[in-house]
Amino acid sequence: MLALFRVWSLQELRRHPWQSAAAACAVMLGVALAFGVHTINASALEEFAQAARSVSGTPDLQLRAAQGPLDEQLYPLLARQSEVARASPVLELQLQAQSADALAGTPAVPLRIVGIDALLLPATAPALMPRPFARLPADRFALFAPATVFLNAAALRALALPLDPQQAPRLTLRRGLEVFSVRVAGSVAAGGAPLAVMDIGAAQDLFGRVGGLSRIDLQLRPGVLRSDFRTRMNALPAWPPGLVWGESSDGEQRMDALSRAYRVNLSVLALVALFTGAFLVFSVLSLSVAQRAPAFALLGVLGATPRQRLGLVLLESLFLGVIGSAAGVALGTALAAGALRLLGGDLGGGYFSGAQPGLQWSLPVAAAYGALGVAAALLGGWWPARTAEALPPAQTLKGLNSAGSSKVSAWPALALLAGGALLAFAPVVAGLPLAAYLSVGALLLGGIALLPRAVALLLRALRPWAARHALAQLAIERARRTPGLAAVAVGGVVASLALAIALTVMVTSFRGSMVQWLDAVLPAPLYVRGAAADGQAAFSASFLQRAARLPGVERIEGLRNVPLQPDAARPAVTLIARPLARGADQVLPLTAPALPVPPGRVAVYASEAAAELWGAQPGSDLAPFLESFRALAQYQQAQQALYFVAGVWRDYARQTGALVMDSADFAALSGERGANDLALWPAPGADVAKLRAALTQLAQSESGPAAAGGLEFASAGEIRERSLRIFDRSFAVTYWLQALAIGIGLFGVAASFSAQVLARRKEFGLLAHLGLTRRQILSVVAGEGAAWTGVGAAAGLLLGVAVSLVLVLVVNPQSFHWTMELRLPLARLLALCAAVVLAGTATAWLAGRAAAGRDAVLAVKEDW
């Protein structure tokens, strides 16, 4: 008999295909988005790790400078150590590349140049071994030739070069205003972003880096401990300051740390659909149980125990979860494969741009996300199953059961709300705002659990008014006796609307704060940038002086960017040197007034990320960066500058942190007076086009005719528009999730009201026998739909604002280490709420038309 009951239960799902499909689709979309995002991120990280291993090989230790180049004299010192089996010098540069035959206007490709000792490649990094083009004349010494490079597949593809040309193509490389010409003699097997390999000596000569290295890779002899070797080398009297030891896995750790917050937040947002899907399963099965209450009662009379009735409903939710999860894993795989093929591994965050990773599909991960979807469906079906279990057979068959009328204590809901508020103040766990995510879930569950009480309060307030209107009193009296059905009808839409409102507030707040930040950091009308300079100044001091004397120039300021990396396993921090003579509060968007700088101290201003990640709080002395700053100094003295963090500023461009100091202080420490970017104020009435032409001519006179191609001009408005376009691309997934959440919620409203109204055909038939017209019955139904969705919209608005406070004030600072100002787009939020109310009212009215017809009158005969 139990087998027959199970078959009957599954047959009931077939009788309501639209409602069952809605619940399964909600689970499917949630699993697909979550699994797709995870697969894309895992594929991008694995591709990056493989590329890093192919370039670096497997050294035991890597030695770098915290800032600037590494002195080549350290190489023979390390190579002579008895513990070292092999030492490999490496020079890395980041330039802009174009094919020499490229048409005018073709965008340049960021190209990583790796100069390495070719004789050590087979033992250190075999993936970088050169493979000459087969159609070119054999040249055993091609790798040692000057101005000769070997490209990986990504570089060949990005530069639109043939895989095996008949003659060696030529490339134009740009660094600042400098232009270099190289020939491509072959390829390398290394993957990842565009990469070029050349002999280290040839690279030093070509790019003016004689005597400088980027790092030294060391392979130690068996039995030598890395920690012991590092300690002994650091204790040498001649060992210079500002050096950083690292390992080959540090690059993977840096990328993982840099992109982890973005990946986790995307994954959590992708679970929004699964969360709302659980509520939709709850809504569909609750209404299905209410509609089939006499059938469940009959099963009880025929011998089905309460536990078996509970199992039947859970079987239905399990079936919906399995179908939805299986389809979700398949759809997520397809979405991930399509995204990787069309967009690469970059979901908008910019962390994996330039790479084309392959799909990394994992059966255990797919099973885990599938199980998550099944668990969500079972969770959504648990309460309806308990309702079916508790049905009294005799009373239900006589029509005396009052489903949804039982009162539920409000204390659990209030406890969830209080717990959610307390969790919002909890610290991060393993660098992630896990407590804040739990806070969001607790607030949503607590708010939805309070829906029956909210409906009861609304009905109590409306009773005096309804006493004067018969139809309104009819609707309110029925709703007052079944307040629990409100949570069933609008629970899904409350969840989806609250999350959509929270995401809307978060994105609006972030975008508004970013616009305000751009206005503060872009004071000049015109900006000039040189080609990627790899940490070197693109514009010399003489260029700045000559540019300042050009006709039509009122003022010009140079900005210098220098990467600092005191810890090899952590992302680098950017040091920005810019004029601060007008006052830091006039140049930087400080979060609080700057502190007075003590005499003899050098003022430094830390971004919010630097203050959070590196402890650069106001009043501190930048202890983690003292060795890095010492490496900047051109004098070798024991006494080092005493730095002072005078303030913290808001920076949305560098998630890893930034430090700002005055250009004069930077020049005194480093002796450098060049710049990477120029901020230019044209004189009143000056012709900007002529000014651009004059700067281009100045660049050509200093570095040759080809230097003009390395200049990039942009107005403040163009930079602002470009930045906002990048912002919108980064949050494109969020926009889709908002639309998806609202769509699922509205579909849930339609399914809920349709099922409820169709289940009340007998009630409508009785009202028709009592003299109510069809229009009056539809008015009652539409009024109920408007009232219930109105309560749901109000609850969703309040919950959404509460969740947005957690997202804006807790999740964002804990994830990305920057703050923003809360902005509430009231017009847009009210429009979302109005759309939900209109959709609920229209759905109830349309369902009422189908249920209040002639069949409703005939349905009354079933009770006679």
Side-chain angles (χ1 to χ4, degrees):
M1 180 177 291
L2 183 59
L4 292 176
F5 290 163
R6 290 172 179 170
V7 172
W8 171 81
S9 182
L10 296 180
Q11 288 292 333
E12 286 298 320
L13 292 178
R14 294 182 58 189
R15 290 181 57 193
H16 307 282
W18 289 108
Q19 300 169 29
S20 303
C25 284
V27 175
M28 176 191 70
L29 291 173
V31 173
L33 287 171
F35 181 63
V37 168
H38 172 87
T39 303
I40 292 171
N41 288 321
S43 301
L45 277 176
E46 180 61 24
E47 174 70 15
F48 178 85
Q50 292 179 359
R53 288 191 292 267
S54 66
V55 173
S56 300
T58 56
D60 296 309
L61 289 173
Q62 293 180 331
L63 183 66
R64 300 175 181 269
Q67 185 276 326
L70 186 67
D71 191 351
E72 192 179 48
Q73 297 301 319
L74 292 171
Y75 170 68
L77 174 64
L78 291 169
R80 288 194 300 265
Q81 302 301 314
S82 59
E83 300 96 329
V84 176
R86 189 175 292 105
S88 175
V90 180
L91 177 64
E92 292 185 346
L93 303 168
Q94 189 75 26
L95 291 86
Q96 299 289 323
Q98 278 183 314
S99 171
D101 300 327
L103 300 176
T106 303
V109 175
L111 183 65
R112 180 185 178 190
I113 306 291
V114 178
I116 200 164
D117 189 343
L119 299 179
L120 298 174
L121 279 178
T124 57
L128 297 182
M129 283 295 297
R131 301 179 299 189
F133 291 133
R135 298 184 183 183
L136 297 183
D139 185 357
R140 296 169 50 192
F141 303 102
L143 181 59
F144 304 99
T148 300
V149 299
F150 296 81
L151 304 180
N152 69 346
L156 291 171
R157 182 171 55 250
L159 294 167
L161 298 178
L163 297 178
D164 190 7
Q166 296 182 354
Q167 56 183 357
R170 300 201 69 83
L171 295 182
T172 299
L173 305 179
R174 299 185 184 276
R175 182 183 62 184
L177 299 181
E178 299 177 286
V179 180
F180 310 94
S181 179
V182 297
R183 72 184 185 102
V184 182
S187 62
V188 295
L195 172 76
V197 176
M198 65 186 305
D199 177 65
I200 187 170
Q204 288 177 322
D205 292 338
L206 180 63
F207 301 113
R209 288 293 190 89
V210 176
L213 302 173
S214 298
R215 70 174 193 269
I216 299 175
D217 294 344
L218 300 176
Q219 290 182 350
L220 304 180
R221 297 189 184 279
V224 178
L225 296 179
R226 303 175 187 179
S227 57
D228 293 345
F229 180 76
R230 289 198 303 261
T231 302
R232 191 178 72 81
M233 296 304 298
N234 290 335
L236 292 178
W239 194 252
L243 300 183
V244 180
W245 292 101
E247 300 183 9
S248 58
S249 61
D250 288 339
E252 302 172 33
Q253 295 181 19
R254 289 194 301 271
M255 181 56 67
D256 179 76
L258 182 64
S259 63
R260 182 174 56 171
Y262 185 78
R263 291 182 284 114
V264 170
N265 278 280
L266 269 186
S267 299
V268 171
L269 290 178
L271 292 174
V272 166
L274 189 58
F275 186 84
T276 55
F279 277 101
L280 191 52
V281 171
F282 164 75
S283 178
V284 168
L285 291 182
S286 294
L287 295 173
S288 177
V289 168
Q291 187 176 3
R292 292 181 290 156
F296 279 109
L298 181 60
L299 291 179
V301 173
L302 295 177
T305 65
R307 182 66 60 179
Q308 289 174 339
R309 297 200 299 270
L310 179 142
L312 290 177
V313 179
L314 288 181
L315 177 64
E316 296 177 13
S317 61
L318 176 64
F319 180 79
L320 293 175
V322 169
I323 295 298
S325 296
V329 169
L331 179 59
T333 303
L335 289 174
L340 290 173
R341 184 173 62 253
L342 298 176
L343 305 175
D346 190 1
L347 275 178
Y351 302 108
F352 305 105
S353 56
Q356 290 288 334
L359 182 68
Q360 300 290 331
W361 197 88
S362 172
L363 179 60
V365 174
Y369 276 94
L372 187 62
V374 173
L378 288 174
L379 181 64
W382 173 253
W383 192 261
R386 290 295 305 273
T387 302
E389 180 187 28
L391 282 176
Q395 291 90 331
T396 303
L397 285 176
K398 293 179 181 180
L400 301 178
N401 181 51
S402 55
S405 61
S406 59
K407 292 185 178 180
V408 180
S409 174
W411 287 111
L414 294 176
L416 282 172
L417 292 175
L422 291 176
L423 284 171
F425 295 95
V428 297
V429 179
L432 296 174
L434 300 181
Y437 294 137
L438 294 177
S439 171
V440 171
L443 290 175
L444 289 173
L445 290 175
I448 293 172
L450 278 179
L451 275 179
R453 292 300 181 111
V455 172
L457 291 176
L458 174 66
L459 296 177
R460 185 180 304 171
L462 292 178
R463 285 186 69 184
W465 170 82
R468 300 189 298 271
H469 303 80
L471 295 180
Q473 185 176 13
L474 182 64
I476 287 178
E477 285 301 319
R478 183 189 182 278
R480 189 174 64 85
R481 287 172 172 76
T482 58
L485 290 179
V488 176
V490 297
V493 77
V494 169
S496 60
L497 180 61
L499 289 168
I501 285 176
L503 293 177
T504 300
V505 173
M506 183 192 70
V507 174
T508 302
S509 300
F510 198 178
R511 202 176 194 276
S513 298
M514 187 173 181
V515 170
Q516 186 177 3
W517 173 78
L518 288 171
D519 293 339
V521 299
L522 296 174
L526 183 64
Y527 289 85
V528 187
R529 168 169 292 182
D534 190 46
Q536 293 187 344
F539 305 102
S540 64
S542 62
F543 183 90
L544 290 174
Q545 294 173 357
R546 296 171 63 187
R549 294 193 296 265
L550 289 175
V553 175
E554 180 180 349
R555 187 169 90 246
I556 190 168
E557 291 182 355
L559 285 76
R560 181 78 166 90
N561 300 325
V562 178
L564 302 176
Q565 194 163 16
D567 188 346
R570 301 175 65 179
V573 176
T574 303
L575 173 64
I576 304 173
R578 61 182 303 173
L580 299 178
R582 292 182 291 131
D585 56 339
Q586 300 296 320
V587 178
L588 299 174
L590 298 178
T591 59
L595 299 177
V597 182
R601 306 283 288 275
V602 177
V604 177
Y605 300 87
S607 70
E608 292 177 309
E612 181 72 21
L613 297 174
W614 294 93
Q617 298 294 336
S620 63
D621 59 357
L622 286 178
F625 296 95
L626 290 180
E627 293 295 332
S628 304
F629 281 110
R630 185 174 180 179
L632 282 173
Q634 58 180 346
Y635 47 83
Q636 298 295 328
Q637 299 178 4
Q639 182 181 4
Q640 56 189 16
L642 297 178
Y643 302 98
F644 181 82
V645 179
V648 175
W649 61 290
R650 190 167 290 163
D651 180 23
Y652 296 134
R654 287 160 284 264
Q655 182 185 335
T656 59
L659 303 170
V660 176
M661 69 167 50
D662 187 69
S663 299
D665 294 330
F666 178 81
L669 287 170
S670 64
E672 297 184 21
R673 299 184 181 276
N676 300 97
D677 302 298
L678 303 179
L680 191 146
W681 284 262
D687 190 333
V688 176
K690 292 182 179 179
L691 190 55
R692 291 187 179 190
L695 286 170
T696 301
Q697 185 177 2
L698 179 61
Q700 292 174 338
S701 66
E702 181 164 302
S703 303
L711 290 181
E712 179 183 352
F713 296 90
S715 66
E718 292 171 341
I719 298 176
R720 184 175 182 272
E721 181 182 355
R722 186 188 312 162
S723 301
L724 293 178
R725 188 165 57 248
I726 294 173
F727 176 90
D728 292 334
R729 185 185 65 194
S730 300
F731 282 89
V733 176
T734 305
Y735 297 143
W736 282 105
L737 288 174
Q738 286 178 270
L740 184 62
I742 287 292
I744 291 176
L746 292 179
F747 200 88
V749 169
S752 300
F753 276 107
S754 298
Q756 277 201 54
V757 173
L758 290 175
R760 294 165 58 191
R761 288 185 306 150
K762 297 178 182 179
E763 176 187 339
F764 296 149
L766 180 60
L767 293 176
H769 279 288
L770 293 176
L772 270 70
T773 65
R774 188 166 181 263
R775 182 175 181 180
Q776 290 174 325
I777 295 175
L778 291 179
S779 299
V780 172
V781 174
E784 292 179 7
W788 286 15
T789 50
V791 173
L797 178 61
L798 294 176
L799 284 177
V801 172
V803 171
S804 69
L805 291 175
V806 179
L807 294 179
V808 172
L809 303 180
V810 181
V811 172
N812 191 73
Q814 291 184 352
S815 297
F816 301 103
H817 312 291
W818 53 48
T819 60
M820 64 181 73
E821 297 180 4
L822 182 68
R823 287 175 168 83
L824 296 177
L826 292 178
R828 195 182 311 172
L829 301 184
L830 293 177
L832 284 175
C833 295
V836 168
V837 174
L838 289 176
T841 305
T843 300
W845 185 80
L846 291 174
R849 289 191 61 187
R854 183 173 179 272
D855 292 339
V857 179
L858 297 177
V860 181
K861 294 182 179 180
E862 297 175 8
D863 291 334
W864 293 352

